[in-house]
Amino acid sequence: MIGREHYIKMIRPFYDSDLIKIITGIRRSGKSIILEQIMLEMRAKSDNIIYLNFEDRKVTSQITNCDELIAYVENTSLPSEQAYVFLDEVQELPGWQEACKTLRLHNCSVFITGSNSKLLSGEFTKELSGRYVSFRVRPFVYKEIQEYASLLGKEVSVTDYLIWGGFPKRFEFNTVEDQERYLNDLDDTIILNDLVQRYNIRKVRLFRKLVNYILRNNARIFSAASVNNYLKHELESCSINTIIKYLDYLQEAYIIDSVKLYSPKVKKELSYYAKLYNGDVAFNSLRALNNRYDLTHNLENIVYNELVYMGYDIYVYDNAGKEIDFLCTKNGKQYYVQVAYSVAEDKTYEREFNAFKNLDNLSQKIIITNDELDYSTSNVKHIKLKDFLLMQEL
């Protein structure tokens, strides 16, 4: 596996801190590998390292609660030395937060991973307030895919990335059929195990219809009302509150991200509309019929994932009724970014470039497409997708 320095360099300054280091993200995005890489660095200076994986039955059969975890660490760690305690998928342990709070007070540097943002939900952040720092890990972006593919002696095209995304383990399989089988199993695990069982969802058919609808229609503006209208068309009855609750579940498991619409008229976010992006575009492609993959919306989804990886804060921007895909801000700089699969046709060119109409020139205007030709103008910079995927920042 490749070293994911992008994430580790953010965590490294906290290695010896008494703050609880929370590494979170969607299942199989590489959190455990990052934990292993941190431990490898720590072993260069300390032997006082404890690692427990709470998906391992050997661990969970011996440690079933907060007190047993504390006792195990006390009995295992070297006395009078700082211990480095790594707890993988710790949300499976009842009372984990109490154990972490106690351990950090007794000369332990605690690192934890989990696949569900309940680790950072209100009930836990209240208890851990001021005692933690969090880091979200995502599936591979294209730069990481290229590095890992090179290690495996493979080549991965941009088109392959647009269809099947960046879950790390899929690249270990040699055929598309094997990769798709792995991704389908992962999809079932995340949705059925992480959501249906965890939240005791009773209307499973309704929930799956909603999930399939959302994941098939990534990179689109949604409201709870629009989802409700779809379900009514499918002859399914569901309240607005239930839909909002289900969408929250998808976000809590990092299956989707919600990006707010920013209105310059009222100079604020519009909370009742949001654009939803899949945590990985494979969730869309697995639901495509007859290999009719939605490359247009997957491309926008990929650009979103890459921009977040680069560290930009992102909104959807309403330019007098014309939607601009991304308003990106970072280090006091602001960028308007429009995304299209191609602007080779005149009609598409006019629609996409006109989205920037009447915007001031204080912020950079960028359009990203899969075209080979350069369509830059005096006011708008065109970036080819293949070049954008290798950039560190805009």
Side-chain angles (χ1 to χ4, degrees):
M1 180 60 71
I2 63 171
R4 302 187 76 179
E5 179 64 15
H6 173 83
Y7 297 104
I8 293 175
K9 72 181 180 183
M10 291 188 284
I11 305 169
R12 194 174 285 125
F14 299 93
Y15 280 3
D16 294 311
S17 170
D18 65 349
L19 294 172
I20 300 164
K21 279 68 69 177
I22 301 178
I23 303 170
T24 189
I26 196 169
R27 278 190 183 274
R28 303 298 173 255
S29 57
K31 301 181 300 297
S32 298
I33 295 296
I34 289 175
L35 217 56
E36 290 175 15
Q37 292 170 348
I38 293 172
M39 283 191 289
L40 188 62
E41 289 188 12
M42 301 308 298
R43 287 195 177 100
K45 69 173 187 176
S46 175
D47 294 322
N48 204 13
I49 294 173
I50 298 169
Y51 171 76
L52 296 167
N53 180 357
F54 288 91
E55 288 188 322
D56 186 340
R57 190 178 296 275
K58 292 179 180 178
V59 173
T60 56
S61 64
Q62 299 295 320
I63 301 173
T64 61
N65 58 48
C66 164
D67 292 335
E68 289 175 355
L69 173 57
I70 294 169
Y72 178 87
V73 172
E74 288 178 344
N75 294 332
T76 306
S77 62
L78 300 175
S80 67
E81 284 186 26
Q82 183 177 38
Y84 297 92
V85 181
F86 296 85
L87 308 174
D88 206 354
E89 297 296 341
V90 72
Q91 80 277 357
E92 303 297 335
L93 179 75
W96 66 267
Q97 65 275 24
E98 290 298 328
C100 290
K101 285 195 299 182
T102 300
L103 291 172
R104 66 179 286 274
L105 296 175
H106 292 83
N107 206 21
C108 292
S109 177
V110 181
F111 300 76
I112 67 177
T113 74
S115 299
N116 186 289
S117 68
K118 277 292 183 182
L119 281 171
L120 299 177
S121 70
E123 59 187 291
F124 293 150
T125 53
K126 183 178 180 180
E127 296 180 28
L128 298 180
S129 179
R131 303 182 182 94
Y132 74 91
V133 286
S134 64
F135 310 89
R136 178 176 172 183
V137 176
R138 295 172 178 268
F140 282 164
V141 294
Y142 194 61
K143 291 180 283 291
E144 294 177 304
I145 291 173
Q146 292 292 79
E147 184 180 353
Y148 191 40
S150 177
L151 191 66
L152 296 174
K154 297 180 178 181
E155 293 185 2
V156 178
S157 68
V158 171
T159 300
D160 177 90
Y161 179 40
L162 288 176
I163 296 173
W164 298 116
F167 278 110
K169 193 170 181 63
R170 82 166 178 93
F171 301 101
E172 298 175 15
F173 300 100
N174 292 322
T175 68
V176 173
E177 290 76 17
D178 288 341
Q179 291 186 31
E180 189 171 356
R181 186 176 298 110
Y182 164 73
L183 291 170
N184 265 307
D185 289 344
L186 180 59
D187 186 286
D188 284 342
T189 297
I190 291 171
I191 292 171
L192 292 179
N193 294 352
D194 284 0
L195 297 180
V196 173
Q197 292 183 21
R198 179 169 295 163
Y199 296 112
N200 193 27
I201 296 172
R202 296 178 180 179
K203 296 181 178 180
V204 176
R205 188 181 73 169
L206 170 67
F207 179 70
R208 296 200 71 152
K209 278 193 175 184
L210 180 144
V211 169
N212 288 335
Y213 175 64
I214 294 296
L215 297 181
R216 278 200 316 268
N217 291 280
N218 53 330
R220 293 169 172 88
I221 294 284
F222 282 93
S223 67
S226 67
V227 178
N228 190 40
N229 288 337
Y230 164 76
L231 292 174
K232 285 181 178 178
H233 184 264
E234 293 291 304
L235 303 179
E236 297 283 356
S237 177
C238 186
S239 72
I240 295 291
N241 286 339
T242 298
I243 291 169
I244 292 172
K245 182 172 65 176
Y246 286 171
L247 291 174
D248 285 344
Y249 292 165
L250 292 174
Q251 291 186 72
E252 286 172 356
Y254 301 111
I255 295 170
I256 62 172
D257 281 359
S258 173
V259 180
K260 298 298 184 184
L261 180 66
Y262 183 87
S263 171
K265 288 184 178 180
V266 293
K267 296 184 178 180
K268 67 176 183 179
E269 301 173 24
L270 300 180
S271 58
Y272 42 87
Y273 288 109
K275 207 167 189 180
L276 302 183
Y277 292 95
N278 293 350
D280 190 274
V281 295
F283 291 132
N284 176 294
S285 297
L286 289 171
R287 291 162 171 80
L289 294 175
N290 303 318
N291 297 332
R292 297 286 296 174
Y293 302 116
D294 188 357
L295 297 183
T296 299
H297 290 96
N298 278 4
L299 191 153
E300 183 180 330
N301 204 137
I302 287 292
V303 170
Y304 166 78
N305 290 340
E306 296 271 345
L307 288 170
V308 171
Y309 178 87
M310 293 178 190
Y312 290 96
D313 294 321
I314 298 174
Y315 297 92
V316 181
Y317 190 79
D318 174 19
N319 181 25
K322 297 184 179 69
E323 178 194 312
I324 294 179
D325 295 320
F326 305 117
L327 168 62
C328 307
T329 61
K330 180 182 176 182
N331 298 330
K333 295 182 180 179
Q334 185 169 280
Y335 306 83
Y336 296 105
V337 179
Q338 191 73 344
V339 182
Y341 193 82
S342 172
V343 290
E345 295 184 0
D346 290 343
K347 186 176 180 180
T348 307
Y349 178 94
E350 290 177 10
R351 182 184 68 242
E352 300 298 337
F353 278 82
N354 281 341
F356 298 113
K357 191 174 181 180
N358 298 325
L359 290 176
D360 61 54
N361 292 320
L362 298 177
S363 302
Q364 176 79 61
K365 305 177 190 69
I366 295 170
I367 187 162
I368 299 170
T369 81
N370 202 34
D371 295 303
E372 285 294 326
L373 295 178
D374 185 357
Y375 288 98
S376 297
T377 68
S378 59
N379 296 318
V380 180
K381 180 181 180 181
H382 175 225
I383 302 177
K384 300 173 186 177
L385 178 64
K386 65 179 184 180
D387 296 330
F388 168 76
L389 294 176
L390 299 179
M391 295 169 64
Q392 300 298 328
E393 58 183 28
L394 293 173

